[in-house]
Amino acid sequence: MPLPPPPPASIQIFTGADLWTPQGLQHGQALAIGKGRILAVGKPEALAKAHPTARRVDLSGGTLLPGLIEGHAHVGGLGALSRKVDLTGPADLEGTLARIRTWAAAHPQGWVLGRGWDQNRWPAKTFPRALDLDGFTGSRPAFLQRVDGHAAWVNSAALALAGIGPKTPDPEGGRILKDAAGRPTGILLDAAVQLVEKHIPEPTSAELEARLKAGLTALRADGFTAVADMGVGARELAAYRRMAAAGALPIRVFAYLNHDHALMLRELKQGRAKNLSFFQVQGVKFYLDGALGSRGARLLAPYSDEPSTQGLWVTDPAKVALDASITLRAGFQPAIHAIGDAANHAALDLLEKAMKKGRGALPPRIEHAQIVTADDAARFGKLGVVASIQPTHCTSDHSWTPARLGPGRVNEAFPWRSFVNGGALLAFGSDAPVEDANPFIALAAAETRQDPDGNPPGGFLPAQRLTRAEAVRAYTAGNAAALGRAKDLGALQKGAVADLLWVQAPLGSVTPEAMRKVKPGRLWVNGVEVPLGHP
């Protein structure tokens, strides 16, 4: 793969800000960089003496951190948001329908596409129906993804196009919700979503590249200098490689392939890149279960608020076990989506067996790790499995999670402190576009386990809160270690690449409420200052 664009040859010395280093927050220290790498951390006078011709960059207070790493996002999905109706925010079905109706009128041709609705935020908390859309969409197919991406709300035209009717069986790993008379309601869960999604016209190569660039640029505006893109298909992989060859990637990309067996085998044969570049294939993304909000997360016992189901196995665990083992032995990283306690237990079991056969240099990861028994939470550290978590999921889902789980197992939810106490490595992300990618909102969520309105009082299961230092580490050194790049990324230390973020705020002392309002001030990627593009 091509190397990153060449950084400036001249040396720069950054002064005036607190430095967030592996040793903790440093006051009165400076940072020297040259040729895209960190040369030293030390007293300003000493660095100036060692580099008398260096250019000085005065940051006038605030905090200088390593560039943040987005540990779990869907870049193409984030970049595609501008081409869909945004359904986050409305407090009821009527407000959601009004937003869809307005968008459909402004975009009169083609599919009605959208994302972000969440029935748990509506008063009735029931799924919407195809009939709710039919009156104003008519013969135009509509495909509206739930906020978590694990369910779709479609209209009757889309059901007809996909040939979904009363006699259509549930696909393996999915559910077609039906009414009392056996008719499809318009809600598709997990693998059933693909029955309609495969009929949506694919973007052109140029459109695909534009989506990826838009997603990466949005992440850069949030202060990220690298991202783990969780779920990349063959066309996206080719687009990334074209962009990398042209030097057109705004930030570094670690790509996790979709669980496409043929694609996986072809790519893994090439071997993992040893040197850090702006683009590298990092591993394979596997799905064991669905999401808790749509009751697709696989639980050890039935849902408390729907005892007829325990959720879904989106992929047969035996199939995941086979391909995760192949991924590990090839020197790449399996990243397994597991939300429910049954899925997390199965993921740990299959990874334990796989690592006995050969584990390679990279630690395996479990993505989300939301509902985990106490015994299994302790296994993460014992086995060396990365807990890849998204703090904002906790603060978005806290109001309805107890209903899904019931009082007997609600304490299994989002067990971050248990992971840390067990010695597990934490890697933070957002799951964008499922959640806002803003890392400062996530840092406050990790510290308080409260949403921006201060709910629930005292925090959701407050014994599982993290310290600020632990949370910042999970967005920097933790993610770097999870990616196998601890020497290159995630720390203000000699030899690391000069991926740097400066914020005006004193991050060591601001309140969680103030943390949510922090904005990136300046950003350097590979020693080159880059535009942020935020308001």
Side-chain angles (χ1 to χ4, degrees):
M1 292 307 301
L3 295 174
S10 60
I11 294 173
Q12 301 173 75
I13 297 176
F14 295 79
T15 63
D18 294 337
L19 304 186
W20 200 290
T21 73
Q23 294 73 39
L25 199 61
Q26 303 290 316
H27 308 283
Q29 298 288 296
L31 182 80
I33 69 170
K35 296 184 178 180
R37 294 272 173 176
I38 295 174
L39 301 176
V41 176
K43 292 290 185 183
E45 301 81 9
L47 294 186
K49 184 176 181 180
H51 307 285
T53 61
R55 180 170 69 87
R56 186 167 175 140
V57 181
D58 187 359
L59 296 174
S60 304
T63 311
L64 185 66
L65 306 95
L68 302 181
I69 301 169
E70 166 57 81
H72 183 121
H74 304 277
V75 175
L78 181 60
L81 285 182
S82 63
R83 297 162 177 81
K84 300 178 180 180
V85 53
D86 180 5
L87 299 179
T88 57
D92 53 30
L93 174 61
E94 290 71 25
T96 304
L97 290 170
R99 193 173 288 189
I100 300 167
R101 189 179 292 109
T102 299
W103 189 92
H107 303 79
Q109 302 297 322
W111 285 66
V112 177
L113 301 174
R115 180 166 186 153
W117 60 272
D118 183 356
Q119 84 285 358
N120 293 310
R121 298 184 181 277
W122 302 341
K125 301 187 185 304
T126 56
F127 280 121
R129 304 168 303 159
L131 292 175
D132 298 320
L133 299 168
D134 290 345
F136 63 90
T137 55
S139 61
R140 294 178 66 186
F143 179 86
L144 308 164
Q145 291 173 291
R146 191 179 180 277
V147 62
D148 55 24
H150 285 265
W153 171 21
V154 302
N155 65 355
S156 295
L159 290 171
L161 182 65
I164 298 173
K167 296 183 179 180
T168 306
D170 289 336
E172 183 179 355
R175 285 177 66 195
I176 301 168
L177 297 194
K178 296 177 181 178
D179 62 20
R183 296 168 299 202
T185 66
I187 295 296
L188 310 172
L189 303 184
D190 290 295
V193 170
Q194 299 164 16
L195 299 177
V196 170
E197 190 173 28
K198 67 184 180 182
H199 294 279
I200 300 173
E202 289 192 344
T204 65
S205 294
E207 289 170 342
L208 191 55
E209 287 186 30
R211 290 183 187 183
L212 293 175
K213 188 169 184 179
L216 295 173
T217 302
L219 291 172
R220 188 175 72 179
D222 279 325
F224 294 107
T225 54
V227 58
D229 192 350
M230 284 291 167
V232 173
R235 293 189 69 225
E236 286 182 308
L237 184 61
Y240 267 134
R241 286 180 166 147
R242 289 193 300 270
M243 295 168 71
L249 291 175
I251 61 176
R252 303 178 196 276
V253 177
F254 295 84
Y256 290 78
L257 305 172
N258 286 336
H259 187 194
D260 174 329
H261 189 74
L263 174 66
M264 182 188 98
L265 293 182
R266 183 171 73 245
E267 289 297 324
L268 298 189
K269 282 195 296 186
Q270 299 183 32
R272 179 172 166 265
K274 293 182 179 180
N275 296 325
L276 180 67
S277 180
F278 260 52
F279 178 78
Q280 45 262 297
V281 173
Q282 180 74 9
V284 182
K285 170 73 179 299
F286 302 94
Y287 281 92
L288 272 179
D289 65 345
L292 195 68
S294 50
R295 299 185 185 85
R298 184 70 181 188
L299 301 182
L300 291 167
Y303 277 78
S304 180
D305 59 357
E306 191 177 325
S308 63
T309 184
Q310 288 178 238
L312 297 168
W313 291 115
V314 171
T315 312
D316 183 346
K319 183 177 181 181
V320 174
L322 174 64
D323 284 350
S325 182
I326 291 171
T327 303
L328 272 174
R329 294 201 305 272
F332 289 80
Q333 192 169 40
I336 302 177
H337 168 113
I339 289 182
D341 50 14
N344 276 281
H345 184 77
L348 291 165
D349 280 353
L350 69 86
L351 287 173
E352 183 174 14
K353 292 178 182 177
M355 286 188 284
K356 289 178 181 177
K357 298 177 182 177
R359 57 188 302 161
L362 295 173
R365 305 163 55 119
I366 291 181
E367 306 301 315
H368 310 307
Q370 288 184 10
I371 314 301
V372 188
T373 66
D375 287 344
D376 281 338
R379 293 175 69 196
F380 276 73
K382 291 176 183 176
L383 297 176
V385 174
V386 176
S388 172
I389 59 180
Q390 300 75 46
T392 316
H393 283 331
C394 171
T395 54
S396 293
D397 300 354
H398 70 80
S399 63
W400 49 261
T401 294
R404 294 285 191 275
L405 300 177
R409 56 183 168 177
V410 70
N411 287 340
E412 296 181 4
F414 307 99
W416 309 332
R417 174 56 53 196
S418 297
F419 290 142
V420 173
N421 290 346
L425 177 65
L426 299 186
F428 271 9
S430 67
D431 204 13
V434 175
E435 301 281 6
D436 189 336
N438 187 324
F440 302 103
I441 294 175
L443 289 171
E447 190 174 344
T448 66
R449 292 172 71 97
Q450 293 176 303
D451 62 29
D453 295 325
N455 292 315
F460 180 71
L461 302 176
Q464 295 289 343
R465 289 180 297 201
L466 299 175
T467 67
R468 183 163 301 176
E470 288 168 337
V472 172
R473 172 176 167 76
Y475 256 133
T476 54
N479 265 320
L483 294 168
R485 299 290 182 179
K487 293 182 179 179
D488 290 317
L489 299 173
L492 300 185
Q493 61 187 10
K494 184 178 180 179
V497 295
D499 289 357
L500 312 172
L501 168 64
W502 175 75
V503 297
Q504 181 68 59
L507 288 191
S509 59
V510 297
T511 65
E513 293 73 24
M515 177 71 82
R516 293 187 178 93
K517 299 176 183 177
V518 169
K519 295 286 187 182
R522 298 174 71 176
L523 192 72
W524 292 261
V525 179
N526 210 45
V528 179
E529 186 164 11
V530 296
L532 284 163
H534 63 77

